[in-house]
Amino acid sequence: MSDEFDAVCEAVRERVVPDDAERDHLEAVIDDLVDRTEAAVADLPVDADVRLVGSTARDTWLAGDRDVDLFVCFPPEISRADLEAYGLEVGHAVLPAGHEEYAEHPYVVGEYEGYQVDLVPCIAVESASDIRSAVDRTPFHTDYVEAHLGDLADDVRLAKQFLTGIGAYGSNLRTRGFSGFLVELLVMEYGGFRPLLEAAADWHPPVELDPEDHGQASFSDPLVVIDPTDPTRNVAAVCSSANVARLQHYARDLLTNPREDLFEPRDPEPLSADEIRDGFADRGTTPIALQFATPDVVEDQLYPQLDRSLAGISDELDRRGFDVLRADRFATDETSVLLVELAVAERPAVERHEGPPVHVGDHAANFFDAYEGTDAFGPFVDGDRYVVERERAVTTAEAFLESDALFDVALGTHVQSTLEVDYDVLVGAEAVAGLAADFGRDLAAYLSPMP
Amino acid sequence: MSDEFDAVCEAVRERVVPDDAERDHLEAVIDDLVDRTEAAVADLPVDADVRLVGSTARDTWLAGDRDVDLFVCFPPEISRADLEAYGLEVGHAVLPAGHEEYAEHPYVVGEYEGYQVDLVPCIAVESASDIRSAVDRTPFHTDYVEAHLGDLADDVRLAKQFLTGIGAYGSNLRTRGFSGFLVELLVMEYGGFRPLLEAAADWHPPVELDPEDHGQASFSDPLVVIDPTDPTRNVAAVCSSANVARLQHYARDLLTNPREDLFEPRDPEPLSADEIRDGFADRGTTPIALQFATPDVVEDQLYPQLDRSLAGISDELDRRGFDVLRADRFATDETSVLLVELAVAERPAVERHEGPPVHVGDHAANFFDAYEGTDAFGPFVDGDRYVVERERAVTTAEAFLESDALFDVALGTHVQSTLEVDYDVLVGAEAVAGLAADFGRDLAAYLSPMP
């Protein structure tokens, strides 16, 4: 078994560890970029250090990755306005064909010799607890990993590739998985890829790790890894329960039945419209999709908003008795979809409404008076309470989604403003099958859910 | 307001208090019956006292009532066999055209001069705590009321008529309302009909009364009135929460808006088949009726069994996702019906089944292994758990009611044995409308529920 596991890891290692040619090329590109950046900094009225950060700096990038992160570290005295201005000035000088992106402040992104280069200004604070924006923390992470990684770089690569294979790699807010730094910390904590798997297989969340034994806050996340450079921060804060569970599941799976395909992301064949229609028809459910133009925000804003909207709508449909079996959200740059799959799509014209116990004096009398002589059935006595059966305003999920009541639900801000302009409601297997063109792959995954 | 209330009570009193002619006639009948019974007792080898009990003995019967209860009280030394034999011998001698009925032991019931006479043997125990069967207690109740009622007999009559009007009078197990003795105790406790109403309007169940301040047990019933002749017994044990609440509701109603019609039982016009069909169709629900031959048991056995069966079936339908909006049971001597009105009559072909959290080792692995590679969707990870969507064996309430699974439900014994022979399932408004012939009145009440 151990031999088999080792053989699988060795085969994966051959693919994910960069060869000498790739290393040499990357090194040359980096040298070149650092020189160009330092030259640009020299033209500024302030001094700044140029630092390579990220997985290329830590020797933990996966073969074939083409990302270089260069940080320009300004002294703490700099104003925010100067930081932004100088940062962009340097960025455009180094990457003349680049464009600006915006995280906590703007920076320049551009292609250079086949690499995607992020040129990010930050502030060289004394310690990670003094940071002014999240990017200021990155150099500390790089220092920490460089100092402690030892010979585990290739184990980090295996772990990253494995998490990629099981769909749990990436701390973006679409995935809510494991960040590169988190993987590095976990591999260091347990002493390698295999020990990490063996530990994860036995985790009982919440799991709390504190490599520097200096944690100063408590967290309610399923996985807590205190940032070794900041005692108040959980590096695993965005990692969802489901991704922690997924790692546990596949860790057991890989240890029990080692095989290379677990390191390869599943990429299901897109379903055709007919397959989607038949898939839902076989389940006997009523799929309903809300389809609208994708709001013009970055993915890390888009997906939390889609998730929030989907949860709000699902909860409200459940509350109204349209039992939601499962729900999901899909998006292209142009179109977003909130899909809810209902076990019950229609309710009767009347609904039970429980009043107070008859004995609670005025409250009970007010309830009775409010309904007596109306069209409602009752009030009658059931157990010790007044009950009425009153008319239900909305008897189908479709009617709810097409009513103004939809906007009483907590929706993501940009989702709400988009829906206020226009949206479509697709009801039933036949209608939802029309999503095949844009979302055939997403619906294939939806109809064949994996751990 | 007070004048109005008094006027209403006065009008009702005129109807429910027997006039002199009725009293004289009853007295003559009773004298006659007692003589005949004593003569029959004289022929026995043992001695026994003849006692008039019940509302005619207590002067609390309602004008027009034609019930006489005569008890033959044998000495405690008598064997059960002798008690039964002598009791029947006396009964048949006094009521030659009578027939036998059976409560805790057999007794004779017969008509005499327009009265229905129950001739019941009992044992003259020392105190009510020594009784061997429930009937032995009755003479103690009669003694107690005779000793304490004072001038409240007509107030008892008003209270009985009022409870009759609101459908809460009678301790039989169909009604689960207020017994005559309970009404007598309540009127004595509060000092009259109106004080009883004023108290009941403000009750906060559980209400606990103990006229003799000697209670020795605790009860979980909404209304507890400790038997003044037995410190371990709750006279109101069978009184349901709904009937307590109903008294509270109508007590407030009568005090606020005094009117005679509250003293008259509601007797709705039977609905026609068309009206029943349209009634359910307007509600948009799916009524389903289980129809079967009424089991050959007395009503006090029948209704608890119907109730138990209805609760078992309703709970199971709810558990399976066929939301029960309301349910009821109806019976004639020939036919019984369990009616459940469903908000959801059909479920999808798949159902969500939650497994254990992924982290609970063997248990989680067993769950995963059990479903992996089956037709179920998943197992997939939702939050920290494994979940599958598996095939649902029964997708309609009708299919459930027609399957053997019906018999896994806790049914009343005789209902179960009857259903094992034969039953019909009527599904939908059109089919249920066919119940009009036997149950048009019950369905009228069902579709116009009153407090």
Side-chain angles (χ1 to χ4, degrees):
Chain A
M1 184 64 85
S2 182
D3 285 353
E4 220 180 309
F5 181 88
D6 290 343
V8 166
C9 287
E10 186 50 43
V12 175
R13 202 177 285 119
E14 296 222 336
R15 292 189 291 114
V16 299
V17 177
D19 62 17
D20 288 347
E22 181 174 342
R23 285 179 187 279
D24 291 347
H25 179 54
L26 174 66
E27 217 160 287
V29 168
I30 288 169
D31 285 349
D32 211 7
L33 280 167
V34 170
D35 287 349
R36 291 170 60 92
T37 309
E38 284 175 342
V41 166
D43 290 341
L44 298 177
V46 296
D47 202 14
D49 286 334
V50 178
R51 286 217 44 185
L52 178 69
V53 298
S55 60
T56 46
R58 302 165 189 175
D59 190 25
T60 57
W61 84 95
L62 298 181
D65 278 0
R66 289 286 178 273
D67 293 306
V68 171
D69 296 322
L70 271 186
F71 273 40
V72 182
C73 307
F74 291 94
E77 303 77 44
I78 197 167
S79 70
R80 183 174 171 111
D82 284 348
L83 176 84
E84 294 194 0
Y86 298 154
L88 291 176
E89 193 175 325
V90 171
H92 288 301
V94 176
L95 303 163
H99 65 277
E100 293 178 16
E101 291 196 2
Y102 195 94
E104 296 195 47
H105 40 68
Y107 61 102
V108 174
V109 175
E111 213 239 80
Y112 189 84
E113 298 262 336
Y115 284 83
Q116 158 148 331
V117 181
D118 286 8
L119 227 160
V120 180
C122 77
I123 293 176
V125 291
E126 272 291 313
S127 89
S129 334
D130 302 330
I131 60 160
R132 297 193 211 156
S133 82
V135 292
D136 301 342
R137 195 183 278 119
T138 306
F140 291 95
H141 290 170
T142 297
D143 289 345
Y144 185 84
V145 175
E146 280 174 349
H148 295 84
L149 186 62
D151 59 1
L152 292 174
D154 289 354
D155 278 50
V156 168
R157 288 185 166 100
L158 279 177
K160 285 184 176 179
Q161 185 62 40
F162 179 67
L163 286 161
T164 302
I166 68 173
Y169 185 62
S171 59
N172 64 72
L173 298 183
R174 176 182 184 178
T175 308
R176 294 196 170 275
F178 294 75
S179 69
F181 183 50
L182 177 57
V183 176
E184 289 160 351
L185 290 177
L186 289 171
V187 168
M188 289 190 282
E189 177 75 13
Y190 292 110
F193 174 53
R194 185 175 180 144
L196 164 59
L197 293 185
E198 288 167 343
D202 286 336
W203 277 348
H204 283 76
V207 173
E208 302 191 0
L209 303 174
D210 187 357
E212 290 300 306
D213 203 16
H214 68 171
Q216 287 174 10
S218 68
F219 300 90
S220 59
D221 306 305
L223 177 60
V224 177
V225 181
I226 301 295
D227 191 331
T229 75
D230 182 347
T232 64
R233 177 172 180 265
N234 175 18
V235 178
V238 305
C239 195
S240 69
S241 293
N243 278 322
V244 172
R246 199 162 278 133
L247 169 59
Q248 296 197 259
H249 170 79
Y250 283 110
R252 291 177 198 146
D253 195 7
L254 185 66
L255 290 167
T256 311
N257 182 16
R259 56 200 194 278
E260 277 186 71
D261 68 358
L262 290 180
F263 290 83
E264 287 312 309
R266 233 160 257 101
D267 199 11
E269 282 298 299
L271 293 187
S272 68
D274 283 356
E275 288 168 327
I276 293 168
R277 188 196 56 221
D278 294 349
F280 284 111
D282 285 349
R283 290 161 66 84
T285 55
T286 304
I288 298 200
L290 218 66
Q291 187 178 19
F292 50 95
T294 296
D296 185 21
V297 293
V298 298
E299 289 206 341
D300 268 2
Q301 285 189 280
L302 175 64
Y303 281 95
Q305 290 198 22
L306 293 177
D307 285 336
R308 178 158 195 235
S309 306
L310 187 63
I313 290 169
S314 293
D315 290 351
E316 182 62 17
L317 286 169
D318 261 337
R319 209 188 57 74
R320 290 172 178 254
F322 307 111
D323 293 4
V324 176
L325 183 66
R326 193 135 57 85
D328 206 347
R329 38 61 172 176
F330 317 125
T332 65
D333 288 348
E334 289 78 36
T335 307
S336 292
V337 164
L338 301 179
L339 175 75
V340 285
E341 190 181 9
L342 302 174
V344 174
E346 190 171 355
R347 303 286 308 183
V350 291
E351 65 183 346
R352 179 183 167 95
H353 177 55
E354 292 207 346
V358 173
H359 62 79
V360 294
D362 287 350
H363 186 34
N366 289 343
F367 179 88
F368 186 86
D369 293 344
Y371 285 101
E372 195 195 11
T374 68
D375 284 345
F377 292 83
F380 55 92
V381 168
D382 188 6
D384 66 347
R385 288 179 181 275
Y386 286 126
V387 173
V388 291
E389 289 158 354
R390 61 186 183 188
E391 202 179 339
R392 180 188 291 273
V394 168
T395 62
T396 66
E398 178 180 10
F400 165 70
L401 293 175
E402 284 173 347
S403 76
D404 287 345
L406 174 64
F407 295 96
D408 295 335
V409 164
L411 301 168
T413 315
H414 295 89
V415 171
Q416 167 144 1
S417 54
T418 304
L419 294 180
E420 279 164 358
V421 177
D422 193 26
Y423 62 97
D424 292 323
V425 180
L426 313 178
V427 180
E430 187 72 45
V432 167
L435 297 172
D438 283 334
F439 303 106
R441 204 178 294 276
D442 294 301
L443 285 161
Y446 182 88
L447 288 170
S448 300
M450 307 294 296
Chain B
M1 183 66 85
S2 183
D3 285 353
E4 219 179 310
F5 180 88
D6 291 343
V8 165
C9 287
E10 188 49 42
V12 175
R13 202 177 284 121
E14 299 224 335
R15 292 189 289 115
V16 299
V17 177
D19 61 18
D20 289 346
E22 181 173 342
R23 285 178 189 277
D24 292 346
H25 179 55
L26 175 64
E27 216 158 290
V29 167
I30 288 169
D31 286 347
D32 211 6
L33 281 166
V34 170
D35 287 347
R36 290 170 60 91
T37 309
E38 286 176 343
V41 167
D43 291 339
L44 297 177
V46 296
D47 202 15
D49 286 333
V50 177
R51 287 216 45 183
L52 178 69
V53 298
S55 59
T56 46
R58 303 166 188 172
D59 190 26
T60 58
W61 83 94
L62 298 180
D65 278 359
R66 289 288 178 271
D67 294 306
V68 172
D69 297 322
L70 271 186
F71 274 39
V72 183
C73 306
F74 292 95
E77 303 77 44
I78 198 167
S79 70
R80 183 173 170 112
D82 284 350
L83 175 84
E84 295 193 359
Y86 297 155
L88 292 174
E89 194 175 325
V90 171
H92 288 301
V94 176
L95 303 163
H99 64 276
E100 293 178 16
E101 292 196 1
Y102 196 95
E104 296 195 46
H105 40 67
Y107 62 100
V108 174
V109 175
E111 215 238 80
Y112 188 84
E113 298 262 336
Y115 286 81
Q116 159 150 328
V117 182
D118 287 8
L119 228 160
V120 180
C122 75
I123 293 176
V125 291
E126 274 290 314
S127 89
S129 332
D130 301 330
I131 60 160
R132 297 194 210 154
S133 81
V135 292
D136 301 343
R137 194 183 279 121
T138 307
F140 292 95
H141 290 170
T142 298
D143 289 344
Y144 185 84
V145 175
E146 281 176 349
H148 295 84
L149 186 60
D151 59 359
L152 292 174
D154 290 352
D155 278 50
V156 169
R157 289 185 164 99
L158 278 177
K160 285 183 177 180
Q161 185 62 40
F162 179 66
L163 286 161
T164 302
I166 67 173
Y169 184 62
S171 60
N172 64 73
L173 298 182
R174 176 182 184 177
T175 307
R176 293 193 170 277
F178 294 75
S179 69
F181 183 48
L182 176 58
V183 175
E184 289 160 350
L185 291 177
L186 289 171
V187 169
M188 288 190 283
E189 177 75 14
Y190 293 110
F193 175 53
R194 185 175 180 144
L196 164 59
L197 293 185
E198 287 167 343
D202 286 335
W203 276 349
H204 282 75
V207 173
E208 301 189 1
L209 303 174
D210 186 357
E212 289 301 306
D213 201 16
H214 68 170
Q216 285 174 12
S218 68
F219 300 90
S220 59
D221 306 304
L223 176 60
V224 177
V225 181
I226 302 295
D227 191 330
T229 74
D230 183 347
T232 65
R233 177 171 179 265
N234 175 18
V235 177
V238 306
C239 194
S240 68
S241 294
N243 278 322
V244 173
R246 200 162 276 134
L247 169 58
Q248 296 197 259
H249 170 78
Y250 283 110
R252 291 178 198 146
D253 195 9
L254 183 66
L255 290 167
T256 311
N257 181 17
R259 58 201 193 277
E260 277 186 72
D261 68 359
L262 291 180
F263 291 82
E264 287 313 309
R266 233 159 257 103
D267 199 11
E269 283 298 301
L271 293 187
S272 68
D274 284 355
E275 288 168 328
I276 293 168
R277 188 196 56 221
D278 294 349
F280 284 111
D282 285 349
R283 290 162 65 83
T285 54
T286 305
I288 298 199
L290 218 65
Q291 188 177 20
F292 50 96
T294 296
D296 185 20
V297 294
V298 299
E299 289 207 340
D300 268 1
Q301 285 190 279
L302 175 64
Y303 282 95
Q305 290 198 23
L306 294 177
D307 285 335
R308 180 162 194 230
S309 306
L310 187 63
I313 290 170
S314 293
D315 289 351
E316 182 62 17
L317 286 170
D318 261 337
R319 207 188 59 72
R320 290 172 179 255
F322 307 112
D323 294 3
V324 176
L325 182 67
R326 194 137 54 90
D328 207 347
R329 39 60 173 174
F330 318 124
T332 65
D333 288 347
E334 289 77 37
T335 307
S336 291
V337 163
L338 302 178
L339 174 74
V340 284
E341 190 182 8
L342 303 174
V344 174
E346 191 173 356
R347 302 286 308 183
V350 291
E351 65 182 346
R352 179 183 168 95
H353 177 55
E354 292 207 347
V358 173
H359 62 78
V360 294
D362 286 350
H363 187 33
N366 290 343
F367 179 88
F368 186 85
D369 293 345
Y371 285 101
E372 195 195 11
T374 68
D375 284 345
F377 292 84
F380 55 92
V381 168
D382 189 6
D384 66 346
R385 287 179 182 275
Y386 285 127
V387 172
V388 290
E389 289 158 355
R390 61 186 183 187
E391 203 178 338
R392 180 188 292 272
V394 169
T395 62
T396 66
E398 179 181 10
F400 165 71
L401 293 175
E402 284 173 346
S403 76
D404 287 346
L406 174 63
F407 295 96
D408 295 336
V409 164
L411 302 168
T413 315
H414 295 88
V415 170
Q416 168 145 3
S417 53
T418 304
L419 294 180
E420 279 163 0
V421 177
D422 193 28
Y423 62 97
D424 292 323
V425 180
L426 313 178
V427 180
E430 187 74 43
V432 167
L435 297 172
D438 284 333
F439 303 106
R441 202 177 297 276
D442 294 301
L443 285 161
Y446 181 89
L447 288 170
S448 299
M450 306 294 295

